Structures are given as C-alpha cells and as structure tokens.
Amino acid sequence: MKTLAKLPVTIVTGFLGSGKTTLLRHMLDNAQGRRIAVIVNEFGELGIDGEILKQCSIGCTEEEANGRVYELANGCLCCTVQEEFFPVMRELVSRRGDLDHILIETSGLALPKPLVQAFQWPEIRSACTVDAVITVVDSPAVAAGTFAAFPDQVDAQRKLDPNLDHESPLHELFADQLASADLVILNKADLISPEDLARVRLEVAEELPPAVKIIEASSGRVPLDVLIGLGAGSEEHIDGRHSHHDHHHEGEDDHDHDAFDSISIDLPQADEALLLDALNQLVVQHGILRVKGFAAIPNKPMRLLIQGVGTRFDKHFDRAWGADEARITRLVLIGQELDAAGLEAQLRAALSV
C-alpha cells in the first residue's frame, strides 16, 4: 500500500480588509498545476469571500470549482473549529492523494492559534502539517491606527503612552494574529510612503518572534514559492507562542468575539455615489470596522463589489448579473454594539428607499 506524505496546509490570517482573499486569488491564479483545496471561513452572512474565490476557477468546470472551495459558516474558526472544521478536514484527508495543498483563509476576527492547535489532533496530525501561518497586514490601516475600534482616539492615546495599545481588544486581536505567524506580508505597501512603511515594519516586528520574516507586497502579489513549501510545522511549536487570549479560555465560558457584531442588510438598487457616501457616514458615526458586499446599480449590467476598511473603500464591477438573479444590494457591516435596525433605517433614509 502506498504511503502518503503529510498534506501541507497554509493558514492565511490577517486583520479586517488586509487583503487575504486577494492573496489567495493570486495563489490560485499561479498554482502552476498544483491541486489546491481552499477552506474559507466567513464572519458574516453573505459568504462573499467564498463567492469571490469561486470565480477563480482556473479552467475548472463550475462543479469542480464549487468542490474546491469549502466555505464554513459564519463565526471565527476558534469557535466553530470542533463543529465544522473537523468534518471538512476529514473529508479532505480522505482525498489527500488527489491534493497537493490546502489553503485556509480565516475570518478577519479569528484567532489563529486555536486553529493551528487543531492540527495536533491525532486524526489530522497523522495526515496533515501546517506548512506555515501567513499573516497579511493592511499597511495603510496599521499606519493610520484603524485596526482599533476608535482609531483617532486610540492613536492619540498611543502617542502619549504606548502601553495603552493593548487596552484595545482589536489591537490584542491584531497582535495575536502576528504572534502565530511564520511569515508576515505587509500588504498594500504601494499605498503609503516609505517612511510610514518603515514605521509599520517596526511596529509589526515588535509583536513577532525574531525568526519570523517580514516581506512587503502590493495587491498580494508574492511569488508562490515564497508562500508555500516553508515547512514550518507550526503545530509543533504553536503552544509556545504567547497570545493575549491564552488566559481568556481558562475557566471562562464567554468569548471575546461576542463584542463584535456582524449584521446583514438588503437594499434595492442604489445610486453608486449616494451609497458610498451613506456608508462613509455610517462608518464615521458608528465606528464600523468593515463593510463588504455587492450592490445593484441602476442601468448597470454588472454587480458592484464593495469592500471597506474604516473610511477607505475599494470597489469594482466583478461580474454580470445572472438572468434569473434578483438585482439587490446586500451588505455586511462588522463593528461593535451595532444597532441593525437603526443602521438599516439610516441607510434607507440616505438612499430614499
């Protein structure tokens, strides 16, 4: 009987809007014949990232493309890992003779350490190894302090007393994603000055073990050979990586992620400029961390993909609407203590719908 080598797994983590999905698309587009399975973990109700990745079919049929992306339900992997992650991995392990690599994209609010620790389970450990944990950093956001709930206030406090950084649960989350990394990518490096980029590099390096390399990238464009084949065996040493959340699960049933809300809003077709202006106002007024979704624009045959981090929004038309597809606008807003009904009412009033 043929003995199969352990299947390498790359875990891609990173804060909200850092560019994880863009990086995975780049990896899939440059797979060079590698047979890659993808697990997408969404925080939200839309499954937007999974749908984006399914468009990267690399010449596969629709059925093959759908079979290559395993999309877990909403929630962070550290919460759903036992309920959903294990069955998905068990199925992939049973097919490991047909696969060369597994990519896992965690949600922007996920803690990577418990996920890596799951690879210590005997049934997974015997068949898989974590080739590397790659943490993607949104360089402009870190430079601006927008990983924090109230970036202006926290950044002002940070300048007065750096010790106050860790009072922000978002900064702790950011630090924990870095603490588990085997490789860090300073993404969107082309969008900030060399001086700001150097400052981000120093800030990130303070959170990292000395052996972890930091590289810079634009739009997630990194050679595939740099990203896979690292052979880190992360599950072997993850227990020794310090995490701010290590103590939270000892004798406690509460989960810090309860502080984050993810709400879904459906709207009719909307004027593009009005919609973006209304979303910007919501971000400013309610401290919304992340906006993502699709919009139906009147008289446009294609769907508008919207992704926002703080007040910075990226948008492009991603594909044509299907003949039988309802042309609606569907958005996910992620933040803390969000009033779903109030936010929807404000959006509808701004759009007069």
Side-chain angles (χ1 to χ4, degrees):
M1 180 176 177
K2 181 181 176 181
T3 300
L4 297 174
K6 285 189 178 183
L7 186 60
V9 179
T10 296
I11 297 172
V12 179
T13 186
F15 205 64
L16 302 164
S18 59
K20 299 184 299 297
T21 302
T22 301
L23 178 70
L24 259 69
R25 289 193 65 166
H26 176 76
M27 295 174 75
L28 295 177
D29 285 341
N30 294 276
Q32 300 172 338
R34 293 179 179 88
R35 299 163 300 174
I36 299 176
V38 183
I39 299 175
V40 180
N41 174 229
E42 273 285 353
F43 188 98
E45 301 176 10
L46 296 188
I48 289 174
D49 290 347
E51 186 167 346
I52 293 171
L53 285 169
K54 285 172 186 174
Q55 296 172 29
C56 276
S57 56
I58 322 176
C60 299
T61 65
E62 182 177 351
E63 290 77 12
E64 289 172 330
N66 287 338
R68 184 161 35 79
V69 178
Y70 292 83
E71 185 175 349
L72 303 183
N74 73 310
C76 58
L77 275 174
C78 56
C79 298
T80 63
V81 67
Q82 294 183 356
E83 296 176 6
E84 300 181 62
F85 174 73
F86 186 74
V88 171
M89 284 301 301
R90 185 163 49 191
E91 181 177 348
L92 291 178
V93 164
S94 71
R95 298 174 50 192
R96 75 182 191 271
D98 301 321
L99 297 173
D100 296 314
H101 208 93
I102 298 174
L103 298 178
I104 301 177
E105 178 192 357
T106 70
S107 95
L109 297 176
L111 295 168
K113 186 172 181 177
L115 173 60
V116 178
Q117 289 171 323
F119 283 84
Q120 298 170 350
W121 297 349
E123 191 170 343
I124 297 180
R125 185 171 188 163
S126 63
C128 299
T129 182
V130 180
D131 185 60
V133 177
I134 298 175
T135 299
V136 184
V137 172
D138 183 338
S139 300
V142 174
T146 51
F147 53 75
F150 302 99
D152 294 338
Q153 297 176 26
V154 172
D155 195 47
Q157 290 179 338
R158 180 172 61 82
K159 291 173 182 177
L160 294 174
D161 183 357
N163 293 323
L164 292 179
D165 273 349
H166 293 290
E167 291 186 3
S168 166
L170 294 178
H171 188 280
E172 289 188 358
L173 202 65
F174 177 71
D176 285 353
Q177 290 177 346
L178 290 173
S180 297
D182 299 300
L183 175 69
V184 174
I185 299 175
L186 302 185
N187 200 25
K188 307 180 186 178
D190 56 320
L191 301 182
I192 58 175
S193 69
E195 294 77 16
D196 282 344
L197 185 59
R199 182 166 57 85
V200 170
R201 177 181 281 271
L202 287 173
E203 184 172 344
V204 167
E206 290 178 354
E207 306 286 354
L208 295 174
V212 176
K213 291 184 177 179
I214 303 173
I215 62 175
E216 300 167 5
S218 301
S219 301
R221 293 190 296 270
V222 179
L224 193 62
D225 290 342
V226 175
L227 301 172
I228 67 174
L230 277 68
S234 310
E235 70 277 10
E236 302 289 343
H237 55 75
I238 190 65
D239 291 341
R241 299 283 187 98
H242 169 71
S243 167
H244 293 288
H245 293 80
D246 285 342
H247 63 283
H248 290 307
H249 295 291
E250 297 176 6
E252 295 182 13
D253 293 327
D254 295 334
H255 194 296
D256 282 353
H257 289 41
D258 291 343
F260 301 103
D261 297 322
S262 176
I263 64 172
S264 179
I265 297 176
D266 285 357
L267 301 165
Q269 297 187 52
D271 177 81
E272 180 179 340
L274 281 178
L275 177 60
L276 290 172
D277 183 64
L279 289 173
N280 188 75
Q281 292 298 317
L282 255 63
V283 167
V284 172
Q285 293 174 18
H286 302 281
I288 293 171
L289 304 170
R290 184 81 162 92
V291 177
K292 57 183 176 179
F294 301 105
I297 308 299
N299 303 316
K300 295 290 185 181
M302 299 187 73
R303 207 175 54 167
L304 185 70
L305 170 66
I306 298 174
Q307 300 194 69
V309 180
T311 56
R312 191 180 73 250
F313 286 89
D314 296 320
K315 59 183 176 63
H316 68 271
F317 290 100
D318 70 320
R319 68 164 176 81
W321 291 98
D324 300 324
E325 190 175 7
R327 297 195 179 191
I328 62 172
T329 297
R330 178 164 291 173
L331 302 166
V332 161
L333 309 180
I334 300 173
Q336 294 178 295
E337 299 181 357
L338 299 182
D339 176 2
L343 290 171
E344 180 172 349
Q346 185 174 339
L347 264 180
R348 288 184 173 276
L351 300 172
S352 299
V353 295

